[in-house]
Amino acid sequence: MRIRMTGVLAALTVSALVATGCSSGSPEPDSTQPGGSLLIWADDQRAAALAPFAEAFGQENGVTVTVEAISQDLQTNFVTASQAGTGPDIVIGAHDWIGNLVQNGTIDPVHLTAEQEAAFAEVALQAVSFDGQTYGVPYAIENVALIRNTDLAPNAPATIEELVATGQALVAEGKVTNILSLQVGQNGDTYHIYPLFTAGGGYLFGKQANGAWNPEDVGVNSPGSVAAFTKIRDLGEAGSGALTRSISGDNAIPTFTSGGAAFLVSGPWAIADIKKAGINYEISPVPPFAGGPPASPFVGVQAFFVASKGKNKALAVEFVTNYAAKPEIQKALYEANPRPPALKAALEEVAATDPDIDKWFAAGENGTPMPNIPQMAAIWDPFNKASAAIVGGADVQSTLDAAQETIVEAIGS
Amino acid sequence: MTIDKVAGAEGATLPRPRGSAWRPVTPSTPRGTFVIGLVVKIFALGIVGALAVAAAGPLIAAQEWMWLSLLVVTTGLIFYVYLSPRRIALKYFVPGLLLLIAFQLVPVVYTASMAFTNFGDGHRGSKQEAIEQIQSSSVRQVPGSVEYGLSVATRGDDADGELVFLLLDPSGNGLIGDAEGLRPLAPGSFTASGTRITAADGYRVLSLSEASLRSEDITALVVPTEAGAVRANGITRAFEGRAVNAYDAGCDCIVNVDTGETWTADNENGSFVNAAGERLPQGWKVNVGLRNFAVALTDPRISTHFLGALLWNIAFAALSVFVTFVLGTACALALHSDRIRGLRIYRILLVLPYAMPSFAMLLVWSDMFNRDFGLVNKLLGLDVDWFGGAWSARLAVIIIQLWLGYPYMFLVATGALQAMPKELVEAAAIDGASPWARLRQVTLPLLLVALSPLLISSFAYNFNNFNAIRLTTDGGPFPPTDSTAGATDLLITYTYRLAFGGSGAQAGLASAISIYIFFIVVIFSLISFRRTIRHEEVFS
């Protein structure tokens, strides 16, 4: 009898499995409102910040808005779910997803009025445009800057050379262990090395006549990039040691907060830890090399996207173009996750109470929107590893030649 | 006496009632238990039925007939098996069988079928979907056209009636748009407030809530105009737009109506290509036959590294098993004595690493091997760039494997030692064998017989131990001139990078390579099991 029961229970489990595995309906929203329903996907923090506003929108208009937090691999999950017809109507994500989301046919362009477009910071709008169309409504801008410990380094260095000299003096005095905390890691970090790469005169993709990225023109081993990496190599383990593979994403911020380095290259996400550690800090743009062009960090823009396979597209477009572009919403999202808002009005309002905001924005002024073309996927891995190898002391020209070849081959295939 | 009894029982042929009327109610099963069992069974089958009905609704709505028929067959099978007192064997088999199909066969078949396609980023949907997406994402506002305030309305008084757009242009003129086209509204026949029309004679303006229920109709309503078409932009605005790209079935191509540029369908590769060889981003999934399997063998990027990765992979798996086995067994032998005090505490301490989550431990270990900040270098006063050199990285990975893996070997070896008859070792001692000879010629061979299957499964597991590499070195160090294959790359981490690292996800290629890996593991396991069987024959 016991065995027979086990059998019945097992059968139950199986049928439950079959039942859940096959039902392709999205989670049932509680139908308290008579109108249609809208499903929004975002990561944990943003979902929590957005929920009250989504509810208010629902109350106001007699519709049901559900915000679901997807804590892991939001982009991949969104693509897969859209394909299966179980995706949301709106997704919130980074602008560099656009190329991949478009090639998988998962998001639609949005049409903003000229008046609406004028209200956004230019870099934000530029970031969400792809193939001549605007694909999302931006709400936050983020980029790295130079954060310094003002007790150790009271003045912002004007050049990287000055930064290294200050850092070396501090190391010699035994006040810090590292000249600079910039994450490289064993396998490299394109995002964080990029300001130095551009300050040295390098580029990843050329631009087409209309300002769009040109995937045919990969500049990884261009003379400018070689010159840039020659300078980076001098900063690396074979040179002054300002850059080292021992500092990775795991220990870059802790090295700064524990007083191990006076300078940190990082983004707004580092501030919470720095404040908690009670460090007096100041934010300034990543400095250029002496006599070189300005350092240009990657600018990332967070945006609302309309899913092309959503079940309630008209309502989704309404929410994204008319409601998400309101300054109140952008301010609330800032409060949940302090990054400069993309709407100029919201930015001004937030900057009045948070002195850091203007500095982040200033640090991003020379920034490059992270390329949102799908070909960017081919850059990351080879470029990461090439930069780590050069920081470790490898030959610049041959390393970049090999990276260039791998990237071009991957783009071509 | 006992012998007599047994013989008697064997010889006797007891008359036994046959047929469905007979119930095996034995005296040892009280009637109460039977009733409870019956109630539980009815309840459980009731839930199965309820779940099936609940699942059927959405399946019918989504017109998933294949899944629906599968659901019906599965549910029918469960009822057929468990409602009858017979079919005892099936009662035991069905749950396992269903689980086997759901968790083993379906994923394997799915992977195998994917290996014959170009499924991946940019090639996920059908050609039709790609065409629709290319056309709809090329809709641009007609230059110089105006923005309209939109009110979604119906003809007459029914909220479910035929949908029309009531539009207000910036100069305050009212228009009505439907599938026929755009016509002006008589100036006095409507009232407007702000940018939108709030009421119009003969029409019912829908509230946002009502309109949101007709989302599909709103999206589908395209009001043709001379320059393009007026489309809804949400529910409160509309714009005049035009699809720049159009599909032409005649030439099976996409034509840009402004520039005349054409992208012809490449049905072999699932994308639209122009004369310059450029592709539109949106592609579709096509069958590519054996191409993925061929690419895995012939692409120089893959084949030049495959052998090296395979050799290290074998060495990694074999060494992982060997070092953990040696240390685990040594600990087990050392503690296999009744004379040690605090035996239990030693055993608990030794098993401790096994109790910690390996994910977290792998990350902690990778930090411990950091050159400047790591515990290993600081503790030993070294300045070794562990993950920077090929051989030091390999050594570090094996050390981590040893720490993570030896408690398991210790546990199974302790178990095997305790199950081993003491008489054998004692007999050897009496025959004058030295302790070393006793260990080498009696204990170890017996231990190996017991542990061989575990060693083989441990080898197969470590062969594909993705986390052990991914969370520590991530395949590195990489030669400066090659970012595709690192010194500690296993086939599985190498494949992962190949499939998901370069130009987005290439699930088709990854499936093909994982099938190759599957066969490699099968071959190794088969050889090992053959050898084990011979081993056992010798010793038994």
Side-chain angles (χ1 to χ4, degrees):
Chain A
M1 188 49 72
R2 224 168 78 209
I3 289 164
R4 205 184 280 187
M5 256 176 66
T6 328
V8 173
L9 284 176
L12 249 181
T13 330
V14 170
S15 61
L17 177 107
V18 169
T20 49
C22 302
S23 73
S24 54
S26 58
E28 294 289 321
D30 48 289
S31 44
T32 46
Q33 302 289 349
S37 61
L38 196 61
L39 180 64
I40 303 176
W41 278 9
D43 65 22
D44 296 328
Q45 286 176 319
R46 280 167 251 266
L50 194 65
F53 289 90
E55 202 172 309
F57 176 83
Q59 293 282 332
E60 222 171 278
N61 298 302
V63 294
T64 312
V65 186
T66 316
V67 183
E68 275 182 14
I70 308 292
S71 49
Q72 283 264 310
D73 297 328
L74 178 55
Q75 186 186 179
T76 322
N77 279 322
F78 171 65
V79 171
T80 314
S82 283
Q83 198 63 41
T86 58
D89 301 293
I90 295 171
V91 69
I92 297 177
H95 82 272
D96 59 311
W97 297 2
I98 290 175
N100 188 36
L101 295 184
V102 169
Q103 73 171 349
N104 287 319
T106 53
I107 58 170
D108 276 351
V110 295
H111 299 274
L112 298 174
T113 62
E115 193 189 336
Q116 280 180 315
E117 287 188 354
F120 284 103
E122 201 187 328
V123 64
L125 266 188
Q126 206 187 328
V128 291
S129 69
F130 174 78
D131 210 8
Q133 295 273 47
T134 304
Y135 271 93
V137 171
Y139 78 83
I141 303 170
E142 60 194 30
N143 50 265
V144 299
L146 181 70
I147 305 168
R148 69 177 192 281
N149 183 333
T150 47
D151 294 335
L152 296 168
N155 301 317
T159 62
I160 291 172
E161 287 80 0
E162 197 184 315
L163 184 156
V164 171
T166 313
Q168 275 172 333
L170 288 168
V171 172
E173 289 170 42
K175 286 188 178 168
V176 297
T177 54
N178 287 72
I179 298 169
L180 166 70
S181 180
L182 186 153
Q183 67 191 63
V184 178
Q186 286 297 338
N187 293 329
D189 190 317
T190 304
Y191 183 78
H192 285 85
I193 205 85
Y194 191 73
L196 298 185
F197 174 64
T198 48
Y203 75 97
L204 290 179
F205 286 117
K207 291 255 179 134
Q208 289 170 358
N210 60 2
W213 297 105
N214 180 7
E216 311 269 289
D217 178 12
V218 177
V220 170
N221 71 345
S222 65
S225 302
V226 172
F229 266 111
T230 309
K231 287 180 177 171
I232 288 171
R233 188 176 183 277
D234 290 341
L235 294 174
E237 290 166 30
S240 60
L243 298 175
T244 164
R245 288 171 295 165
S246 295
I247 292 183
S248 66
D250 297 330
N251 56 23
I253 297 171
T255 300
F256 181 77
T257 54
S258 66
F263 300 102
L264 169 71
V265 172
S266 192
W269 50 89
I271 293 301
D273 283 351
I274 294 172
K275 282 187 174 155
K276 208 192 283 169
I279 293 203
N280 296 318
Y281 68 94
E282 196 56 81
I283 301 160
S284 58
V286 176
F289 287 103
S296 169
F298 270 141
V299 175
V301 170
Q302 298 284 332
F304 288 83
F305 302 115
V306 176
S308 53
K309 295 197 174 73
K311 293 184 181 60
N312 205 335
K313 262 207 273 196
L315 189 58
V317 173
E318 183 67 28
F319 183 90
V320 165
T321 57
N322 289 340
Y323 192 69
K326 286 189 176 167
E328 303 95 272
I329 309 288
Q330 304 228 332
K331 230 185 99 189
L333 287 166
Y334 154 80
E335 272 150 21
N337 199 337
R339 297 168 193 204
L343 266 184
K344 287 186 225 164
L347 181 72
E348 275 165 31
E349 215 176 311
V350 167
T353 54
D354 184 346
D356 285 353
I357 290 297
D358 273 340
K359 294 170 194 159
W360 286 119
F361 199 70
E365 219 148 24
N366 285 317
T368 322
M370 216 185 294
N372 57 13
I373 49 177
Q375 287 85 355
M376 185 63 193
I379 294 269
W380 294 111
D381 196 55
F383 196 85
N384 282 348
K385 281 161 186 161
S387 64
I390 291 171
V391 166
D395 177 61
V396 174
Q397 186 73 52
S398 61
T399 304
L400 292 182
D401 285 347
Q404 168 92 8
E405 196 191 331
T406 310
I407 291 165
V408 169
E409 221 172 283
I411 289 175
S413 71
Chain B
M1 193 59 201
T2 35
I3 292 166
D4 280 351
K5 239 184 176 176
V6 170
E10 263 181 358
T13 47
L14 294 168
R16 182 187 279 185
R18 288 183 184 276
S20 61
W22 186 73
R23 291 281 185 281
V25 184
T26 50
S28 62
T29 314
R31 222 182 148 66
T33 322
F34 185 75
V35 171
I36 291 171
L38 195 68
V39 169
V40 168
K41 180 168 153 181
I42 290 169
F43 185 69
L45 283 177
I47 291 180
V48 170
L51 280 174
V53 171
L59 285 180
I60 293 169
Q63 305 195 329
E64 295 275 8
W65 306 126
M66 209 254 301
W67 289 109
L68 185 71
S69 50
L70 205 67
L71 178 76
V72 170
V73 169
T74 314
T75 318
L77 181 74
I78 291 170
F79 276 90
Y80 170 76
V81 169
Y82 291 100
L83 277 182
S84 148
R86 275 183 283 175
R87 296 182 277 275
I88 303 289
L90 266 183
K91 283 192 173 81
Y92 288 96
F93 272 126
V94 161
L97 221 58
L98 289 180
L99 288 173
L100 182 76
I101 292 170
F103 289 120
Q104 296 285 329
L105 287 181
V106 170
V108 167
V109 169
Y110 186 66
T111 309
S113 67
M114 203 143 70
F116 295 98
T117 70
N118 66 346
F119 185 77
D121 277 340
H123 300 279
R124 286 176 184 266
S126 65
K127 184 175 180 181
Q128 194 51 41
E129 282 174 307
I131 291 171
E132 280 167 19
Q133 209 54 46
I134 288 168
Q135 294 184 139
S136 70
S137 66
S138 73
V139 173
R140 282 163 210 233
Q141 190 166 353
V142 174
S145 66
V146 295
E147 283 270 345
Y148 298 100
L150 168 68
S151 302
V152 179
T154 51
R155 276 186 218 282
D157 202 34
D158 183 7
D160 297 325
E162 190 205 338
L163 215 60
V164 294
F165 287 164
L166 299 178
L167 305 163
L168 193 66
D169 72 13
S171 38
N173 300 318
L175 297 124
I176 171 162
D178 55 22
E180 308 283 290
L182 209 56
R183 292 177 304 280
L185 279 174
S189 69
F190 65 92
T191 45
S193 145
T195 59
R196 298 173 61 206
I197 292 174
T198 49
D201 298 344
Y203 300 101
R204 175 183 163 157
V205 173
L206 300 184
S207 71
L208 199 140
S209 169
E210 288 167 327
S212 70
L213 288 170
R214 309 213 37 196
S215 177
E216 275 172 34
D217 298 333
I218 296 173
T219 316
L221 180 52
V222 174
V223 181
T225 60
E226 269 174 37
V230 172
R231 290 176 169 84
N233 186 21
I235 295 174
T236 60
R237 291 192 296 136
F239 71 105
E240 189 175 2
R242 194 166 63 109
V244 178
N245 289 336
Y247 176 70
D248 182 345
C251 64
D252 194 14
C253 66
I254 299 279
V255 183
N256 184 318
V257 290
D258 283 347
T259 61
E261 192 173 7
T262 52
W263 285 269
T264 313
D266 174 357
N267 290 314
E268 301 264 295
N269 296 305
S271 35
F272 286 104
V273 192
N274 69 2
E278 289 164 348
R279 285 169 300 179
L280 286 175
Q282 298 94 337
W284 63 96
K285 189 171 102 171
V286 290
N287 274 325
V288 296
L290 291 169
R291 195 206 295 168
N292 287 326
F293 293 94
V295 163
L297 291 182
T298 55
D299 187 332
R301 283 187 299 155
I302 303 176
S303 54
T304 49
H305 300 300
F306 196 84
L307 195 65
L310 177 64
L311 284 178
W312 158 246
N313 201 340
I314 295 167
F316 169 81
L319 274 173
S320 294
V321 175
F322 179 74
V323 294
T324 54
F325 174 72
V326 168
L327 185 64
T329 310
C331 293
L333 284 170
L335 294 184
H336 185 59
S337 160
D338 306 330
R339 286 175 298 172
I340 302 175
R341 225 184 276 172
L343 196 63
R344 197 162 284 192
I345 292 178
Y346 286 126
R347 284 197 175 137
I348 289 172
L349 285 177
L350 280 173
V351 174
L352 218 54
Y354 197 45
M356 300 189 194
S358 68
F359 259 61
M361 287 302 108
L362 286 166
L363 292 172
V364 167
W365 271 98
S366 81
D367 278 347
M368 277 165 47
F369 279 111
N370 187 303
R371 181 181 187 171
D372 291 344
F373 309 107
L375 187 72
V376 176
N377 274 359
K378 286 203 169 163
L379 213 60
L380 303 176
L382 297 171
D383 184 29
V384 179
D385 187 4
W386 286 99
F387 290 164
W391 288 104
S392 58
R394 286 174 183 151
L395 180 63
V397 169
I398 294 291
I399 291 172
I400 298 171
Q401 282 292 97
L402 172 62
W403 191 84
L404 284 175
Y406 86 89
Y408 171 74
M409 291 295 177
F410 168 71
L411 276 180
V412 295
T414 303
L417 283 175
Q418 281 169 353
M420 209 180 279
K422 280 203 178 83
E423 294 79 4
L424 293 172
V425 182
E426 280 166 12
I430 291 166
D431 283 350
S434 68
W436 173 242
R438 269 178 271 158
L439 173 68
R440 220 173 58 86
Q441 288 173 343
V442 181
T443 314
L444 272 187
L446 284 172
L447 203 58
L448 270 178
V449 171
L451 296 190
S452 285
L454 294 174
L455 295 182
I456 293 166
S457 64
S458 175
F459 177 87
Y461 171 78
N462 278 308
F463 197 87
N464 281 331
N465 199 336
F466 181 76
N467 290 331
I469 298 300
R470 171 82 178 164
L471 297 179
T472 54
T473 61
D474 198 10
F478 293 83
T481 52
D482 188 355
S483 61
T484 53
T488 55
D489 254 333
L490 301 182
L491 287 177
I492 193 79
T493 55
Y494 173 65
T495 308
Y496 178 83
R497 193 172 316 111
L498 199 73
F500 303 106
S503 36
Q506 300 179 39
L509 179 61
S511 302
I513 297 183
S514 67
I515 288 175
Y516 279 128
I517 296 179
F518 169 74
F519 281 115
I520 292 172
V521 175
V522 164
I523 289 168
F524 275 107
S525 301
L526 275 182
I527 294 171
S528 315
F529 275 118
R530 279 271 164 79
R531 292 188 62 117
T532 319
I533 291 166
R534 248 187 286 154
H535 219 66
E536 277 169 6
E537 278 164 1
V538 170
F539 288 105
S540 59

